Tab-separated table of all heavy atoms in Angstrom:
chain	number	residue	atom	x	y	z
A	190	GLY	N	-45.767	15.066	-84.616
A	190	GLY	CA	-47.115	15.494	-85.000
A	190	GLY	C	-47.986	15.745	-83.797
A	190	GLY	O	-47.536	15.658	-82.644
A	191	ASP	N	-49.253	16.074	-84.071
A	191	ASP	CA	-50.226	16.295	-83.006
A	191	ASP	C	-50.618	14.934	-82.423
A	191	ASP	O	-51.059	14.045	-83.162
A	191	ASP	CB	-51.452	17.003	-83.589
A	191	ASP	CG	-52.492	17.307	-82.531
A	191	ASP	OD1	-52.404	16.758	-81.401
A	191	ASP	OD2	-53.408	18.087	-82.831
A	192	ASN	N	-50.443	14.783	-81.120
A	192	ASN	CA	-50.653	13.459	-80.520
A	192	ASN	C	-52.092	12.946	-80.661
A	192	ASN	O	-52.302	11.733	-80.685
A	192	ASN	CB	-50.176	13.431	-79.061
A	192	ASN	CG	-50.720	14.573	-78.259
A	192	ASN	OD1	-51.746	15.142	-78.611
A	192	ASN	ND2	-50.045	14.913	-77.176
A	193	LEU	N	-53.072	13.820	-80.789
A	193	LEU	CA	-54.456	13.334	-80.925
A	193	LEU	C	-54.575	12.540	-82.228
A	193	LEU	O	-55.096	11.417	-82.256
A	193	LEU	CB	-55.438	14.519	-80.907
A	193	LEU	CG	-56.906	14.131	-80.969
A	193	LEU	CD1	-57.304	13.244	-79.795
A	193	LEU	CD2	-57.809	15.364	-81.015
A	209	TYR	N	-47.054	8.246	-69.246
A	209	TYR	CA	-46.727	9.454	-68.469
A	209	TYR	C	-46.918	10.603	-69.436
A	209	TYR	O	-46.423	10.556	-70.569
A	209	TYR	CB	-45.280	9.407	-67.970
A	209	TYR	CG	-44.772	10.759	-67.471
A	209	TYR	CD1	-44.983	11.170	-66.150
A	209	TYR	CD2	-44.095	11.622	-68.324
A	209	TYR	CE1	-44.526	12.410	-65.707
A	209	TYR	CE2	-43.640	12.860	-67.882
A	209	TYR	CZ	-43.854	13.247	-66.567
A	209	TYR	OH	-43.411	14.476	-66.134
A	211	ASP	N	-46.767	14.958	-69.696
A	211	ASP	CA	-46.365	16.242	-69.114
A	211	ASP	C	-46.760	17.290	-70.151
A	211	ASP	O	-45.913	17.798	-70.875
A	211	ASP	CB	-44.841	16.179	-68.875
A	211	ASP	CG	-44.238	17.488	-68.420
A	211	ASP	OD1	-44.965	18.331	-67.863
A	211	ASP	OD2	-43.018	17.665	-68.623
A	212	PRO	N	-48.075	17.550	-70.242
A	212	PRO	CA	-48.551	18.439	-71.312
A	212	PRO	C	-48.275	19.894	-70.953
A	212	PRO	O	-47.841	20.182	-69.831
A	212	PRO	CB	-50.063	18.168	-71.312
A	212	PRO	CG	-50.381	17.787	-69.910
A	212	PRO	CD	-49.170	17.082	-69.373
A	213	PRO	N	-48.525	20.833	-71.868
A	213	PRO	CA	-48.506	22.237	-71.457
A	213	PRO	C	-49.440	22.402	-70.250
A	213	PRO	O	-50.438	21.687	-70.126
A	213	PRO	CB	-49.064	22.948	-72.693
A	213	PRO	CG	-48.786	22.019	-73.836
A	213	PRO	CD	-48.880	20.645	-73.275
A	214	PHE	N	-49.106	23.339	-69.362
A	214	PHE	CA	-49.841	23.460	-68.089
A	214	PHE	C	-50.908	24.551	-68.102
A	214	PHE	O	-51.532	24.816	-67.101
A	214	PHE	CB	-48.855	23.846	-66.977
A	214	PHE	CG	-47.968	22.739	-66.479
A	214	PHE	CD1	-47.942	21.499	-67.064
A	214	PHE	CD2	-47.155	22.958	-65.369
A	214	PHE	CE1	-47.119	20.490	-66.593
A	214	PHE	CE2	-46.324	21.967	-64.876
A	214	PHE	CZ	-46.302	20.735	-65.490
A	222	HIS	N	-39.977	26.987	-78.187
A	222	HIS	CA	-40.483	26.061	-79.204
A	222	HIS	C	-41.984	25.816	-79.159
A	222	HIS	O	-42.525	25.185	-80.051
A	222	HIS	CB	-39.756	24.716	-79.087
A	222	HIS	CG	-38.281	24.863	-79.210
A	222	HIS	ND1	-37.685	25.206	-80.392
A	222	HIS	CD2	-37.281	24.729	-78.313
A	222	HIS	CE1	-36.381	25.270	-80.215
A	222	HIS	NE2	-36.123	24.988	-78.955
A	223	PHE	N	-42.670	26.206	-78.092
A	223	PHE	CA	-44.126	26.036	-78.092
A	223	PHE	C	-44.791	27.066	-77.181
A	223	PHE	O	-44.177	27.586	-76.256
A	223	PHE	CB	-44.531	24.602	-77.715
A	223	PHE	CG	-44.246	24.209	-76.275
A	223	PHE	CD1	-45.229	24.315	-75.301
A	223	PHE	CD2	-43.008	23.722	-75.909
A	223	PHE	CE1	-44.979	23.941	-73.985
A	223	PHE	CE2	-42.740	23.358	-74.602
A	223	PHE	CZ	-43.726	23.461	-73.638
A	227	TRP	N	-53.838	29.451	-74.185
A	227	TRP	CA	-55.004	28.777	-74.741
A	227	TRP	C	-56.196	29.721	-74.848
A	227	TRP	O	-57.195	29.547	-74.160
A	227	TRP	CB	-55.341	27.528	-73.901
A	227	TRP	CG	-54.150	26.642	-73.825
A	227	TRP	CD1	-53.186	26.654	-72.875
A	227	TRP	CD2	-53.738	25.686	-74.803
A	227	TRP	NE1	-52.193	25.756	-73.184
A	227	TRP	CE2	-52.512	25.142	-74.368
A	227	TRP	CE3	-54.284	25.237	-76.012
A	227	TRP	CZ2	-51.826	24.172	-75.093
A	227	TRP	CZ3	-53.601	24.270	-76.723
A	227	TRP	CH2	-52.390	23.747	-76.267
A	270	MET	N	-58.786	21.100	-75.181
A	270	MET	CA	-57.625	20.468	-75.835
A	270	MET	C	-57.301	19.154	-75.116
A	270	MET	O	-57.048	18.130	-75.748
A	270	MET	CB	-56.433	21.446	-75.769
A	270	MET	CG	-55.141	20.968	-76.390
A	270	MET	SD	-54.147	19.858	-75.362
A	270	MET	CE	-53.553	20.938	-74.082
A	274	ARG	N	-57.696	14.012	-75.731
A	274	ARG	CA	-56.410	13.302	-75.634
A	274	ARG	C	-56.450	12.324	-74.461
A	274	ARG	O	-55.971	11.191	-74.565
A	274	ARG	CB	-55.260	14.314	-75.508
A	274	ARG	CG	-55.030	15.026	-76.827
A	274	ARG	CD	-54.151	16.232	-76.775
A	274	ARG	NE	-53.941	16.764	-78.110
A	274	ARG	CZ	-54.799	17.548	-78.778
A	274	ARG	NH1	-55.928	17.919	-78.214
A	274	ARG	NH2	-54.540	17.946	-80.010
A	404	TRP	N	-34.050	21.995	-73.295
A	404	TRP	CA	-35.508	22.024	-73.508
A	404	TRP	C	-36.124	22.690	-72.272
A	404	TRP	O	-35.860	22.257	-71.141
A	404	TRP	CB	-36.055	20.595	-73.696
A	404	TRP	CG	-37.414	20.614	-74.329
A	404	TRP	CD1	-38.596	20.269	-73.750
A	404	TRP	CD2	-37.727	21.014	-75.664
A	404	TRP	NE1	-39.628	20.429	-74.633
A	404	TRP	CE2	-39.122	20.895	-75.823
A	404	TRP	CE3	-36.974	21.492	-76.743
A	404	TRP	CZ2	-39.778	21.211	-77.014
A	404	TRP	CZ3	-37.621	21.814	-77.932
A	404	TRP	CH2	-39.002	21.666	-78.056
A	406	THR	N	-38.810	22.804	-70.559
A	406	THR	CA	-39.661	22.149	-69.561
A	406	THR	C	-39.164	20.731	-69.245
A	406	THR	O	-39.933	19.904	-68.750
A	406	THR	CB	-41.108	22.084	-70.089
A	406	THR	OG1	-41.044	21.562	-71.427
A	406	THR	CG2	-41.763	23.438	-70.123
A	407	GLN	N	-37.898	20.480	-69.517
A	407	GLN	CA	-37.318	19.142	-69.295
A	407	GLN	C	-37.414	18.748	-67.817
A	407	GLN	O	-37.096	19.534	-66.925
A	407	GLN	CB	-35.847	19.168	-69.726
A	407	GLN	CG	-35.152	17.834	-69.628
A	407	GLN	CD	-33.649	17.946	-69.923
A	407	GLN	OE1	-33.187	18.974	-70.428
A	407	GLN	NE2	-32.915	16.912	-69.605
A	408	LYS	N	-37.814	17.510	-67.558
A	408	LYS	CA	-37.945	17.007	-66.184
A	408	LYS	C	-36.732	16.129	-65.842
A	408	LYS	O	-36.085	15.593	-66.738
A	408	LYS	CB	-39.242	16.175	-66.045
A	408	LYS	CG	-40.508	16.959	-66.365
A	408	LYS	CD	-40.728	18.104	-65.413
A	408	LYS	CE	-41.975	18.924	-65.692
A	408	LYS	NZ	-41.984	19.708	-66.936
A	429	ASP	N	-45.172	8.220	-73.957
A	429	ASP	CA	-45.202	9.620	-73.538
A	429	ASP	C	-45.657	10.449	-74.743
A	429	ASP	O	-44.890	10.689	-75.678
A	429	ASP	CB	-43.821	10.083	-73.053
A	429	ASP	CG	-43.882	11.505	-72.505
A	429	ASP	OD1	-44.843	12.229	-72.846
A	429	ASP	OD2	-42.978	11.909	-71.753
A	430	PRO	N	-46.931	10.905	-74.727
A	430	PRO	CA	-47.465	11.609	-75.900
A	430	PRO	C	-47.053	13.078	-75.990
A	430	PRO	O	-47.361	13.738	-76.989
A	430	PRO	CB	-48.978	11.483	-75.704
A	430	PRO	CG	-49.163	11.366	-74.224
A	430	PRO	CD	-47.948	10.685	-73.684
A	431	PHE	N	-46.424	13.623	-74.952
A	431	PHE	CA	-45.906	15.007	-74.991
A	431	PHE	C	-44.426	14.905	-74.583
A	431	PHE	O	-44.017	15.467	-73.567
A	431	PHE	CB	-46.627	15.900	-73.983
A	431	PHE	CG	-48.090	16.164	-74.246
A	431	PHE	CD1	-49.082	15.317	-73.746
A	431	PHE	CD2	-48.490	17.290	-74.971
A	431	PHE	CE1	-50.438	15.581	-73.962
A	431	PHE	CE2	-49.833	17.566	-75.190
A	431	PHE	CZ	-50.812	16.709	-74.682
A	432	CYS	N	-43.615	14.185	-75.364
A	432	CYS	CA	-42.336	13.710	-74.819
A	432	CYS	C	-41.247	14.767	-74.702
A	432	CYS	O	-40.249	14.559	-74.023
A	432	CYS	CB	-41.844	12.498	-75.594
A	432	CYS	SG	-41.254	12.907	-77.246
A	433	GLY	N	-41.379	15.915	-75.365
A	433	GLY	CA	-40.359	16.968	-75.267
A	433	GLY	C	-38.977	16.414	-75.551
A	433	GLY	O	-38.740	15.761	-76.574
A	434	SER	N	-38.060	16.612	-74.600
A	434	SER	CA	-36.668	16.181	-74.805
A	434	SER	C	-36.481	14.674	-74.609
A	434	SER	O	-35.366	14.173	-74.718
A	434	SER	CB	-35.759	16.935	-73.845
A	434	SER	OG	-36.074	16.584	-72.517
A	435	GLY	N	-37.545	13.951	-74.270
A	435	GLY	CA	-37.472	12.486	-74.223
A	435	GLY	C	-37.090	11.895	-72.871
A	435	GLY	O	-36.590	10.764	-72.807
A	436	THR	N	-37.385	12.606	-71.785
A	436	THR	CA	-36.982	12.115	-70.454
A	436	THR	C	-37.610	10.748	-70.136
A	436	THR	O	-36.924	9.839	-69.670
A	436	THR	CB	-37.372	13.145	-69.372
A	436	THR	OG1	-36.926	14.431	-69.800
A	436	THR	CG2	-36.762	12.814	-68.035
A	437	THR	N	-38.897	10.605	-70.396
A	437	THR	CA	-39.565	9.318	-70.103
A	437	THR	C	-38.969	8.201	-70.947
A	437	THR	O	-38.744	7.081	-70.465
A	437	THR	CB	-41.072	9.412	-70.448
A	437	THR	OG1	-41.585	10.597	-69.883
A	437	THR	CG2	-41.838	8.214	-69.957
A	451	MET	N	-44.078	10.966	-78.603
A	451	MET	CA	-44.749	11.832	-79.589
A	451	MET	C	-44.491	13.269	-79.204
A	451	MET	O	-44.512	13.606	-78.014
A	451	MET	CB	-46.281	11.622	-79.540
A	451	MET	CG	-46.710	10.234	-79.910
A	451	MET	SD	-48.499	10.031	-79.664
A	451	MET	CE	-48.675	8.326	-80.226
A	452	ASP	N	-44.269	14.110	-80.192
A	452	ASP	CA	-44.199	15.544	-79.925
A	452	ASP	C	-44.514	16.305	-81.208
A	452	ASP	O	-44.196	15.840	-82.308
A	452	ASP	CB	-42.836	15.977	-79.372
A	452	ASP	CG	-42.950	17.247	-78.545
A	452	ASP	OD1	-43.105	18.338	-79.146
A	452	ASP	OD2	-42.920	17.165	-77.302
A	453	ILE	N	-45.115	17.472	-81.017
A	453	ILE	CA	-45.535	18.289	-82.166
A	453	ILE	C	-44.387	19.146	-82.691
A	453	ILE	O	-44.480	19.719	-83.771
A	453	ILE	CB	-46.752	19.145	-81.757
A	453	ILE	CG1	-47.570	19.557	-82.958
A	453	ILE	CG2	-46.328	20.337	-80.904
A	453	ILE	CD1	-48.975	20.006	-82.596
A	454	SER	N	-43.297	19.208	-81.915
A	454	SER	CA	-42.183	20.069	-82.314
A	454	SER	C	-41.057	19.229	-82.916
A	454	SER	O	-40.590	18.263	-82.291
A	454	SER	CB	-41.686	20.841	-81.078
A	454	SER	OG	-40.313	21.064	-81.168
A	457	ALA	N	-37.994	19.144	-80.693
A	457	ALA	CA	-38.082	18.186	-79.577
A	457	ALA	C	-37.773	16.779	-80.073
A	457	ALA	O	-37.000	16.041	-79.452
A	457	ALA	CB	-39.480	18.225	-78.952
A	464	ARG	N	-30.779	12.021	-77.888
A	464	ARG	CA	-30.603	11.575	-76.504
A	464	ARG	C	-30.708	10.062	-76.393
A	464	ARG	O	-29.927	9.415	-75.704
A	464	ARG	CB	-31.704	12.238	-75.664
A	464	ARG	CG	-31.690	11.876	-74.216
A	464	ARG	CD	-32.803	12.635	-73.542
A	464	ARG	NE	-32.706	12.590	-72.103
A	464	ARG	CZ	-33.527	13.245	-71.291
A	464	ARG	NH1	-34.488	13.999	-71.781
A	464	ARG	NH2	-33.386	13.154	-69.994
B	5	SAM	C1	-43.998	20.294	-70.835
B	5	SAM	S1	-43.242	19.790	-72.323
B	5	SAM	C2	-42.700	18.134	-71.995
B	5	SAM	C3	-41.311	18.074	-71.422
B	5	SAM	C4	-40.788	16.667	-71.200
B	5	SAM	N1	-41.468	15.995	-70.118
B	5	SAM	C5	-39.286	16.657	-70.952
B	5	SAM	O1	-38.836	16.147	-69.902
B	5	SAM	O2	-38.551	17.194	-71.801
B	5	SAM	C6	-44.653	19.593	-73.329
B	5	SAM	C7	-44.345	19.145	-74.742
B	5	SAM	O3	-45.585	18.920	-75.424
B	5	SAM	C8	-45.412	19.225	-76.782
B	5	SAM	N2	-46.780	19.387	-77.323
B	5	SAM	C9	-47.656	20.402	-77.115
B	5	SAM	N3	-48.822	20.152	-77.740
B	5	SAM	C10	-48.686	18.937	-78.359
B	5	SAM	C11	-49.549	18.112	-79.147
B	5	SAM	N4	-50.799	18.486	-79.434
B	5	SAM	N5	-49.081	16.927	-79.597
B	5	SAM	C12	-47.815	16.514	-79.297
B	5	SAM	N6	-46.955	17.256	-78.546
B	5	SAM	C13	-47.383	18.443	-78.079
B	5	SAM	C14	-44.528	20.449	-76.785
B	5	SAM	O4	-43.849	20.602	-78.011
B	5	SAM	C15	-43.589	20.155	-75.617
B	5	SAM	O5	-42.390	19.550	-76.046
Side-chain angles (χ1 to χ4, degrees):
D191 182 346
N192 50 23
L193 183 60
Y209 165 86
D211 173 23
F214 284 6
H222 303 291
F223 68 95
W227 304 91
M270 180 279 290
R274 288 167 176 81
W404 198 248
T406 49
Q407 183 186 347
K408 300 297 180 293
D429 185 340
F431 294 89
C432 72
S434 65
T436 312
T437 312
M451 297 174 179
D452 205 285
I453 203 162
S454 148
R464 179 179 193 176

